[in-house]
Amino acid sequence: MANTAPKVAAEERREAPAAVDKKAEALAKLIRKSKHLVVFTGAGVSTSAGIPDFRGPEGSWTLRAQGRERTKPVNTLQAIPTATHMTLVELQSRGILKYLISQNCDGLHRKSGILPDRISELHGNSNREYCKDCNKEYIRDFRAVASYEKTAHDHRTGRKCALCGGVLLDTIINFGESLFTEPLQRARDHAEKADVFLVLGSSLTVSPANELPEPSGRKKTTTTTASLAICNLQDTALDGLADLARCRASTSTATPITFLRSVKLEYNRRVARSEPFVIAFRGDLDPGTELKLELEFMGNYGEPNLDIIFRYSGDEEEEKAAYLLEYNPQNGEWKVTEQADCAADHGASGNLRRDGNANIVPAEASVFPSEAMPASTANSVPEIIEID
């Protein structure tokens, strides 16, 4: 990863809306006809979410080269996936987008709902950590790095795997480190298969990622043809290979998810503050007993605490209940729906057993704000609490 930029940023140029519309129509036709669409994203797709780029006029490396500091700190945890992120999710849902390659570490693609087997996050994800022993990955609603001081190349986060107890490591690629082999190879494989390769918001400066679009630009034979389209405000080294003329426009605004800070059972003084959020209670429960769980969230989107009420039926078998939790950061309101099918494949799960423990642990999911989703995915599962 390159961490340099000239003191004077490359010129950013914006085309007239009519010109952009014309190129967008041409691109849409290419995408409709594509058999293997691959999209490559850089920092430019997240600028409208409030996250600065690196080499723009106010980019992080540009400011550093000029000896300036950013006046307002940026908290990527509070960023919401933009319309661009959600459009890519919609293309994925329709089976059009075959693979996404990203240089971004902000985690917005995974938050938006891009499936883990459909993306290579080449430079890592600041919200993702994985087990050194069993390779299980975890998505956090906090920066998945160590809270203690350590060297840059020590990737231990200080947490342990919930499955095997192994050491968890962060996924960030620091300067001087090689990219993870597997995601890079998957990216290369899909780049070779691509018949349409779309670059969004990248100056294509950092190697080896910047080499991935090139095969599509050069794939012009009698038997094989591919199209390369680049949408970026600054020039790139591959502009001359692009089939679709550069579009100079700004982008619009099976993993455990950790979004809970704590869980508290009413009338119980102890608060569970770490996974799997085990709460012990004394004595047997009478059938019909209502248990009120207060959920405290990470608060990155201003989420208020939420009460979930579970009614114990007294069944000898383990009980299970699942709740769909939808939070709208625009109005600060929760919508809670009890799910008929408790075998939840998404969100967070919990156990309430007669052995005197109440557990809430992560399950497989992607978490994304419901108001940011296109209509066709607005009813997808943002967060689920499952109690059994």
Side-chain angles (χ1 to χ4, degrees), residues 18-59:
V20 173
D21 289 344
K22 184 176 180 179
K23 291 179 179 180
E25 289 178 5
L27 177 59
K29 290 180 181 179
L30 287 176
I31 291 175
R32 289 192 193 101
K33 295 178 181 178
S34 69
K35 302 298 183 183
H36 201 95
L37 169 65
V38 174
V39 176
F40 180 103
T41 64
V45 301
S46 295
T47 53
S48 55
I51 301 174
D53 58 21
F54 293 97
R55 295 172 182 82
E58 296 296 318

mmCIF file of all heavy atoms in Angstrom, residues 18-59:
data_model
loop_
_atom_site.group_PDB
_atom_site.id
_atom_site.type_symbol
_atom_site.label_atom_id
_atom_site.label_comp_id
_atom_site.label_asym_id
_atom_site.label_seq_id
_atom_site.Cartn_x
_atom_site.Cartn_y
_atom_site.Cartn_z
ATOM 1 N N ALA A 18 -25.531 16.097 -18.470
ATOM 2 C CA ALA A 18 -26.004 15.455 -19.702
ATOM 3 C C ALA A 18 -24.971 14.449 -20.217
ATOM 4 O O ALA A 18 -25.330 13.357 -20.679
ATOM 5 C CB ALA A 18 -26.295 16.518 -20.766
ATOM 6 N N ALA A 19 -23.695 14.812 -20.133
ATOM 7 C CA ALA A 19 -22.634 13.906 -20.581
ATOM 8 C C ALA A 19 -22.556 12.676 -19.679
ATOM 9 O O ALA A 19 -22.363 11.553 -20.152
ATOM 10 C CB ALA A 19 -21.297 14.641 -20.604
ATOM 11 N N VAL A 20 -22.706 12.901 -18.378
ATOM 12 C CA VAL A 20 -22.689 11.777 -17.439
ATOM 13 C C VAL A 20 -23.861 10.843 -17.707
ATOM 14 O O VAL A 20 -23.714 9.618 -17.707
ATOM 15 C CB VAL A 20 -22.730 12.296 -15.984
ATOM 16 C CG1 VAL A 20 -22.883 11.130 -15.005
ATOM 17 C CG2 VAL A 20 -21.459 13.074 -15.666
ATOM 18 N N ASP A 21 -25.045 11.405 -17.933
ATOM 19 C CA ASP A 21 -26.227 10.579 -18.210
ATOM 20 C C ASP A 21 -26.022 9.719 -19.448
ATOM 21 O O ASP A 21 -26.403 8.535 -19.471
ATOM 22 C CB ASP A 21 -27.462 11.469 -18.399
ATOM 23 C CG ASP A 21 -27.927 12.105 -17.094
ATOM 24 O OD1 ASP A 21 -27.497 11.635 -16.027
ATOM 25 O OD2 ASP A 21 -28.715 13.067 -17.162
ATOM 26 N N LYS A 22 -25.418 10.301 -20.478
ATOM 27 C CA LYS A 22 -25.195 9.561 -21.722
ATOM 28 C C LYS A 22 -24.247 8.389 -21.493
ATOM 29 O O LYS A 22 -24.479 7.271 -21.969
ATOM 30 C CB LYS A 22 -24.633 10.502 -22.792
ATOM 31 C CG LYS A 22 -24.457 9.845 -24.157
ATOM 32 C CD LYS A 22 -23.995 10.866 -25.194
ATOM 33 C CE LYS A 22 -23.830 10.202 -26.566
ATOM 34 N NZ LYS A 22 -23.394 11.200 -27.579
ATOM 35 N N LYS A 23 -23.181 8.627 -20.733
ATOM 36 C CA LYS A 23 -22.227 7.559 -20.446
ATOM 37 C C LYS A 23 -22.833 6.511 -19.511
ATOM 38 O O LYS A 23 -22.539 5.320 -19.618
ATOM 39 C CB LYS A 23 -20.951 8.138 -19.844
ATOM 40 C CG LYS A 23 -20.140 8.960 -20.841
ATOM 41 C CD LYS A 23 -18.884 9.541 -20.212
ATOM 42 C CE LYS A 23 -18.088 10.338 -21.229
ATOM 43 N NZ LYS A 23 -16.853 10.912 -20.648
ATOM 44 N N ALA A 24 -23.682 6.970 -18.596
ATOM 45 C CA ALA A 24 -24.347 6.032 -17.692
ATOM 46 C C ALA A 24 -25.264 5.090 -18.466
ATOM 47 O O ALA A 24 -25.344 3.892 -18.161
ATOM 48 C CB ALA A 24 -25.144 6.799 -16.634
ATOM 49 N N GLU A 25 -25.937 5.611 -19.465
ATOM 50 C CA GLU A 25 -26.797 4.768 -20.300
ATOM 51 C C GLU A 25 -25.972 3.735 -21.055
ATOM 52 O O GLU A 25 -26.360 2.564 -21.162
ATOM 53 C CB GLU A 25 -27.585 5.639 -21.281
ATOM 54 C CG GLU A 25 -28.668 6.480 -20.628
ATOM 55 C CD GLU A 25 -29.395 7.360 -21.628
ATOM 56 O OE1 GLU A 25 -29.113 7.229 -22.844
ATOM 57 O OE2 GLU A 25 -30.232 8.184 -21.209
ATOM 58 N N ALA A 26 -24.828 4.164 -21.578
ATOM 59 C CA ALA A 26 -23.956 3.223 -22.292
ATOM 60 C C ALA A 26 -23.438 2.142 -21.354
ATOM 61 O O ALA A 26 -23.363 0.963 -21.709
ATOM 62 C CB ALA A 26 -22.793 3.990 -22.931
ATOM 63 N N LEU A 27 -23.082 2.552 -20.127
ATOM 64 C CA LEU A 27 -22.601 1.585 -19.142
ATOM 65 C C LEU A 27 -23.706 0.615 -18.752
ATOM 66 O O LEU A 27 -23.461 -0.596 -18.618
ATOM 67 C CB LEU A 27 -22.087 2.324 -17.902
ATOM 68 C CG LEU A 27 -21.616 1.448 -16.729
ATOM 69 C CD1 LEU A 27 -20.485 0.523 -17.160
ATOM 70 C CD2 LEU A 27 -21.181 2.322 -15.558
ATOM 71 N N ALA A 28 -24.922 1.116 -18.588
ATOM 72 C CA ALA A 28 -26.045 0.251 -18.221
ATOM 73 C C ALA A 28 -26.272 -0.820 -19.279
ATOM 74 O O ALA A 28 -26.573 -1.977 -18.954
ATOM 75 C CB ALA A 28 -27.304 1.088 -18.025
ATOM 76 N N LYS A 29 -26.111 -0.462 -20.544
ATOM 77 C CA LYS A 29 -26.271 -1.444 -21.620
ATOM 78 C C LYS A 29 -25.206 -2.523 -21.530
ATOM 79 O O LYS A 29 -25.490 -3.715 -21.727
ATOM 80 C CB LYS A 29 -26.198 -0.739 -22.981
ATOM 81 C CG LYS A 29 -27.404 0.134 -23.284
ATOM 82 C CD LYS A 29 -27.269 0.803 -24.654
ATOM 83 C CE LYS A 29 -28.477 1.690 -24.939
ATOM 84 N NZ LYS A 29 -28.362 2.382 -26.258
ATOM 85 N N LEU A 30 -23.967 -2.117 -21.238
ATOM 86 C CA LEU A 30 -22.896 -3.102 -21.082
ATOM 87 C C LEU A 30 -23.201 -4.052 -19.925
ATOM 88 O O LEU A 30 -22.998 -5.268 -20.032
ATOM 89 C CB LEU A 30 -21.563 -2.392 -20.831
ATOM 90 C CG LEU A 30 -20.892 -1.679 -21.996
ATOM 91 C CD1 LEU A 30 -19.631 -0.945 -21.505
ATOM 92 C CD2 LEU A 30 -20.531 -2.670 -23.094
ATOM 93 N N ILE A 31 -23.677 -3.489 -18.824
ATOM 94 C CA ILE A 31 -23.951 -4.310 -17.644
ATOM 95 C C ILE A 31 -25.096 -5.280 -17.913
ATOM 96 O O ILE A 31 -25.042 -6.446 -17.497
ATOM 97 C CB ILE A 31 -24.266 -3.403 -16.433
ATOM 98 C CG1 ILE A 31 -22.984 -2.661 -16.006
ATOM 99 C CG2 ILE A 31 -24.821 -4.208 -15.265
ATOM 100 C CD1 ILE A 31 -23.198 -1.648 -14.895
ATOM 101 N N ARG A 32 -26.135 -4.814 -18.607
ATOM 102 C CA ARG A 32 -27.266 -5.697 -18.907
ATOM 103 C C ARG A 32 -26.837 -6.908 -19.733
ATOM 104 O O ARG A 32 -27.357 -8.009 -19.560
ATOM 105 C CB ARG A 32 -28.350 -4.926 -19.671
ATOM 106 C CG ARG A 32 -29.098 -3.904 -18.831
ATOM 107 C CD ARG A 32 -30.325 -3.405 -19.568
ATOM 108 N NE ARG A 32 -30.867 -2.212 -18.917
ATOM 109 C CZ ARG A 32 -30.660 -0.971 -19.348
ATOM 110 N NH1 ARG A 32 -29.909 -0.750 -20.428
ATOM 111 N NH2 ARG A 32 -31.186 0.059 -18.708
ATOM 112 N N LYS A 33 -25.895 -6.700 -20.634
ATOM 113 C CA LYS A 33 -25.456 -7.785 -21.519
ATOM 114 C C LYS A 33 -24.350 -8.637 -20.897
ATOM 115 O O LYS A 33 -23.996 -9.685 -21.440
ATOM 116 C CB LYS A 33 -24.945 -7.195 -22.840
ATOM 117 C CG LYS A 33 -26.015 -6.482 -23.662
ATOM 118 C CD LYS A 33 -25.408 -5.897 -24.927
ATOM 119 C CE LYS A 33 -26.452 -5.163 -25.749
ATOM 120 N NZ LYS A 33 -25.846 -4.546 -26.987
ATOM 121 N N SER A 34 -23.814 -8.193 -19.761
ATOM 122 C CA SER A 34 -22.645 -8.877 -19.196
ATOM 123 C C SER A 34 -22.997 -10.255 -18.666
ATOM 124 O O SER A 34 -24.112 -10.512 -18.207
ATOM 125 C CB SER A 34 -22.038 -8.035 -18.070
ATOM 126 O OG SER A 34 -22.906 -7.996 -16.947
ATOM 127 N N LYS A 35 -22.024 -11.134 -18.733
ATOM 128 C CA LYS A 35 -22.131 -12.476 -18.153
ATOM 129 C C LYS A 35 -21.315 -12.579 -16.868
ATOM 130 O O LYS A 35 -21.593 -13.418 -16.015
ATOM 131 C CB LYS A 35 -21.632 -13.515 -19.153
ATOM 132 C CG LYS A 35 -22.365 -13.518 -20.484
ATOM 133 C CD LYS A 35 -23.844 -13.844 -20.299
ATOM 134 C CE LYS A 35 -24.543 -13.904 -21.667
ATOM 135 N NZ LYS A 35 -26.012 -14.144 -21.515
ATOM 136 N N HIS A 36 -20.293 -11.733 -16.757
ATOM 137 C CA HIS A 36 -19.446 -11.780 -15.560
ATOM 138 C C HIS A 36 -18.977 -10.360 -15.234
ATOM 139 O O HIS A 36 -17.865 -9.947 -15.579
ATOM 140 C CB HIS A 36 -18.248 -12.702 -15.776
ATOM 141 C CG HIS A 36 -17.646 -13.194 -14.487
ATOM 142 N ND1 HIS A 36 -17.990 -14.403 -13.919
ATOM 143 C CD2 HIS A 36 -16.749 -12.643 -13.642
ATOM 144 C CE1 HIS A 36 -17.318 -14.579 -12.795
ATOM 145 N NE2 HIS A 36 -16.560 -13.510 -12.597
ATOM 146 N N LEU A 37 -19.851 -9.623 -14.531
ATOM 147 C CA LEU A 37 -19.536 -8.249 -14.140
ATOM 148 C C LEU A 37 -18.678 -8.254 -12.883
ATOM 149 O O LEU A 37 -19.032 -8.863 -11.874
ATOM 150 C CB LEU A 37 -20.815 -7.462 -13.881
ATOM 151 C CG LEU A 37 -20.654 -6.083 -13.218
ATOM 152 C CD1 LEU A 37 -19.900 -5.124 -14.139
ATOM 153 C CD2 LEU A 37 -22.014 -5.511 -12.819
ATOM 154 N N VAL A 38 -17.556 -7.548 -12.935
ATOM 155 C CA VAL A 38 -16.687 -7.365 -11.779
ATOM 156 C C VAL A 38 -16.554 -5.871 -11.523
ATOM 157 O O VAL A 38 -16.327 -5.096 -12.458
ATOM 158 C CB VAL A 38 -15.293 -7.991 -12.006
ATOM 159 C CG1 VAL A 38 -14.350 -7.665 -10.844
ATOM 160 C CG2 VAL A 38 -15.412 -9.502 -12.174
ATOM 161 N N VAL A 39 -16.712 -5.471 -10.273
ATOM 162 C CA VAL A 39 -16.581 -4.063 -9.897
ATOM 163 C C VAL A 39 -15.403 -3.900 -8.957
ATOM 164 O O VAL A 39 -15.187 -4.731 -8.065
ATOM 165 C CB VAL A 39 -17.869 -3.539 -9.224
ATOM 166 C CG1 VAL A 39 -17.678 -2.094 -8.744
ATOM 167 C CG2 VAL A 39 -19.041 -3.613 -10.194
ATOM 168 N N PHE A 40 -14.635 -2.860 -9.177
ATOM 169 C CA PHE A 40 -13.438 -2.550 -8.394
ATOM 170 C C PHE A 40 -13.652 -1.193 -7.751
ATOM 171 O O PHE A 40 -13.904 -0.202 -8.445
ATOM 172 C CB PHE A 40 -12.226 -2.524 -9.329
ATOM 173 C CG PHE A 40 -10.906 -2.217 -8.673
ATOM 174 C CD1 PHE A 40 -9.999 -3.229 -8.405
ATOM 175 C CD2 PHE A 40 -10.550 -0.910 -8.359
ATOM 176 C CE1 PHE A 40 -8.762 -2.949 -7.831
ATOM 177 C CE2 PHE A 40 -9.328 -0.623 -7.775
ATOM 178 C CZ PHE A 40 -8.435 -1.651 -7.513
ATOM 179 N N THR A 41 -13.598 -1.111 -6.426
ATOM 180 C CA THR A 41 -13.873 0.161 -5.757
ATOM 181 C C THR A 41 -12.667 0.670 -4.986
ATOM 182 O O THR A 41 -11.890 -0.098 -4.425
ATOM 183 C CB THR A 41 -15.062 0.048 -4.788
ATOM 184 O OG1 THR A 41 -14.735 -0.857 -3.728
ATOM 185 C CG2 THR A 41 -16.307 -0.430 -5.500
ATOM 186 N N GLY A 42 -12.570 2.003 -4.967
ATOM 187 C CA GLY A 42 -11.539 2.675 -4.188
ATOM 188 C C GLY A 42 -12.187 3.646 -3.216
ATOM 189 O O GLY A 42 -13.406 3.655 -3.023
ATOM 190 N N ALA A 43 -11.368 4.496 -2.627
ATOM 191 C CA ALA A 43 -11.837 5.397 -1.576
ATOM 192 C C ALA A 43 -12.926 6.344 -2.058
ATOM 193 O O ALA A 43 -13.735 6.828 -1.261
ATOM 194 C CB ALA A 43 -10.661 6.200 -1.013
ATOM 195 N N GLY A 44 -12.976 6.606 -3.360
ATOM 196 C CA GLY A 44 -13.957 7.551 -3.891
ATOM 197 C C GLY A 44 -15.401 7.144 -3.687
ATOM 198 O O GLY A 44 -16.283 7.999 -3.686
ATOM 199 N N VAL A 45 -15.690 5.846 -3.496
ATOM 200 C CA VAL A 45 -17.080 5.437 -3.312
ATOM 201 C C VAL A 45 -17.573 5.750 -1.909
ATOM 202 O O VAL A 45 -18.773 5.702 -1.643
ATOM 203 C CB VAL A 45 -17.298 3.929 -3.608
ATOM 204 C CG1 VAL A 45 -16.911 3.589 -5.025
ATOM 205 C CG2 VAL A 45 -16.544 3.067 -2.616
ATOM 206 N N SER A 46 -16.651 6.074 -0.998
ATOM 207 C CA SER A 46 -17.045 6.323 0.391
ATOM 208 C C SER A 46 -16.961 7.796 0.783
ATOM 209 O O SER A 46 -17.300 8.148 1.913
ATOM 210 C CB SER A 46 -16.170 5.496 1.350
ATOM 211 O OG SER A 46 -16.376 4.113 1.167
ATOM 212 N N THR A 47 -16.512 8.662 -0.121
ATOM 213 C CA THR A 47 -16.391 10.078 0.238
ATOM 214 C C THR A 47 -17.747 10.694 0.551
ATOM 215 O O THR A 47 -17.864 11.558 1.420
ATOM 216 C CB THR A 47 -15.703 10.879 -0.878
ATOM 217 O OG1 THR A 47 -16.399 10.643 -2.122
ATOM 218 C CG2 THR A 47 -14.249 10.464 -1.040
ATOM 219 N N SER A 48 -18.797 10.231 -0.149
ATOM 220 C CA SER A 48 -20.129 10.780 0.119
ATOM 221 C C SER A 48 -20.700 10.259 1.431
ATOM 222 O O SER A 48 -21.737 10.751 1.894
ATOM 223 C CB SER A 48 -21.089 10.460 -1.036
ATOM 224 O OG SER A 48 -21.137 9.069 -1.280
ATOM 225 N N ALA A 49 -20.020 9.287 2.046
ATOM 226 C CA ALA A 49 -20.415 8.819 3.384
ATOM 227 C C ALA A 49 -19.654 9.581 4.463
ATOM 228 O O ALA A 49 -19.789 9.279 5.649
ATOM 229 C CB ALA A 49 -20.147 7.318 3.513
ATOM 230 N N GLY A 50 -18.839 10.553 4.038
ATOM 231 C CA GLY A 50 -18.092 11.363 4.996
ATOM 232 C C GLY A 50 -16.696 10.867 5.273
ATOM 233 O O GLY A 50 -16.014 11.383 6.156
ATOM 234 N N ILE A 51 -16.250 9.858 4.525
ATOM 235 C CA ILE A 51 -14.908 9.305 4.710
ATOM 236 C C ILE A 51 -13.992 9.885 3.632
ATOM 237 O O ILE A 51 -14.267 9.724 2.435
ATOM 238 C CB ILE A 51 -14.926 7.772 4.628
ATOM 239 C CG1 ILE A 51 -15.863 7.207 5.707
ATOM 240 C CG2 ILE A 51 -13.525 7.196 4.785
ATOM 241 C CD1 ILE A 51 -16.071 5.709 5.615
ATOM 242 N N PRO A 52 -12.915 10.556 3.992
ATOM 243 C CA PRO A 52 -12.065 11.199 2.979
ATOM 244 C C PRO A 52 -11.309 10.187 2.140
ATOM 245 O O PRO A 52 -11.064 9.058 2.574
ATOM 246 C CB PRO A 52 -11.104 12.048 3.826
ATOM 247 C CG PRO A 52 -11.037 11.361 5.143
ATOM 248 C CD PRO A 52 -12.418 10.787 5.373
ATOM 249 N N ASP A 53 -10.949 10.604 0.916
ATOM 250 C CA ASP A 53 -10.096 9.758 0.087
ATOM 251 C C ASP A 53 -8.642 10.006 0.470
ATOM 252 O O ASP A 53 -8.354 10.614 1.499
ATOM 253 C CB ASP A 53 -10.366 10.002 -1.402
ATOM 254 C CG ASP A 53 -10.153 11.463 -1.801
ATOM 255 O OD1 ASP A 53 -9.443 12.186 -1.072
ATOM 256 O OD2 ASP A 53 -10.691 11.886 -2.836
ATOM 257 N N PHE A 54 -7.723 9.541 -0.370
ATOM 258 C CA PHE A 54 -6.301 9.658 -0.026
ATOM 259 C C PHE A 54 -5.562 10.697 -0.860
ATOM 260 O O PHE A 54 -4.716 11.420 -0.353
ATOM 261 C CB PHE A 54 -5.611 8.295 -0.184
ATOM 262 C CG PHE A 54 -6.090 7.278 0.813
ATOM 263 C CD1 PHE A 54 -7.061 6.361 0.473
ATOM 264 C CD2 PHE A 54 -5.590 7.262 2.106
ATOM 265 C CE1 PHE A 54 -7.522 5.434 1.394
ATOM 266 C CE2 PHE A 54 -6.038 6.340 3.043
ATOM 267 C CZ PHE A 54 -7.013 5.430 2.681
ATOM 268 N N ARG A 55 -5.892 10.778 -2.156
ATOM 269 C CA ARG A 55 -5.089 11.621 -3.043
ATOM 270 C C ARG A 55 -5.872 12.741 -3.707
ATOM 271 O O ARG A 55 -5.388 13.372 -4.642
ATOM 272 C CB ARG A 55 -4.412 10.746 -4.109
ATOM 273 C CG ARG A 55 -3.407 9.784 -3.476
ATOM 274 C CD ARG A 55 -2.850 8.767 -4.461
ATOM 275 N NE ARG A 55 -1.953 7.875 -3.750
ATOM 276 C CZ ARG A 55 -2.352 6.823 -3.028
ATOM 277 N NH1 ARG A 55 -3.634 6.529 -2.949
ATOM 278 N NH2 ARG A 55 -1.475 6.059 -2.403
ATOM 279 N N GLY A 56 -7.067 12.996 -3.231
ATOM 280 C CA GLY A 56 -7.826 14.142 -3.715
ATOM 281 C C GLY A 56 -7.293 15.425 -3.098
ATOM 282 O O GLY A 56 -6.367 15.410 -2.278
ATOM 283 N N PRO A 57 -7.872 16.567 -3.440
ATOM 284 C CA PRO A 57 -7.406 17.852 -2.895
ATOM 285 C C PRO A 57 -7.417 17.902 -1.368
ATOM 286 O O PRO A 57 -6.579 18.565 -0.764
ATOM 287 C CB PRO A 57 -8.405 18.853 -3.497
ATOM 288 C CG PRO A 57 -8.868 18.213 -4.766
ATOM 289 C CD PRO A 57 -8.916 16.748 -4.473
ATOM 290 N N GLU A 58 -8.353 17.188 -0.748
ATOM 291 C CA GLU A 58 -8.412 17.124 0.723
ATOM 292 C C GLU A 58 -8.170 15.705 1.215
ATOM 293 O O GLU A 58 -8.590 15.335 2.314
ATOM 294 C CB GLU A 58 -9.775 17.634 1.223
ATOM 295 C CG GLU A 58 -10.040 19.092 0.932
ATOM 296 C CD GLU A 58 -9.054 20.008 1.659
ATOM 297 O OE1 GLU A 58 -8.765 19.753 2.839
ATOM 298 O OE2 GLU A 58 -8.576 20.979 1.028
ATOM 299 N N GLY A 59 -7.466 14.917 0.411
ATOM 300 C CA GLY A 59 -7.195 13.537 0.767
ATOM 301 C C GLY A 59 -6.196 13.410 1.910
ATOM 302 O O GLY A 59 -5.399 14.323 2.175
#
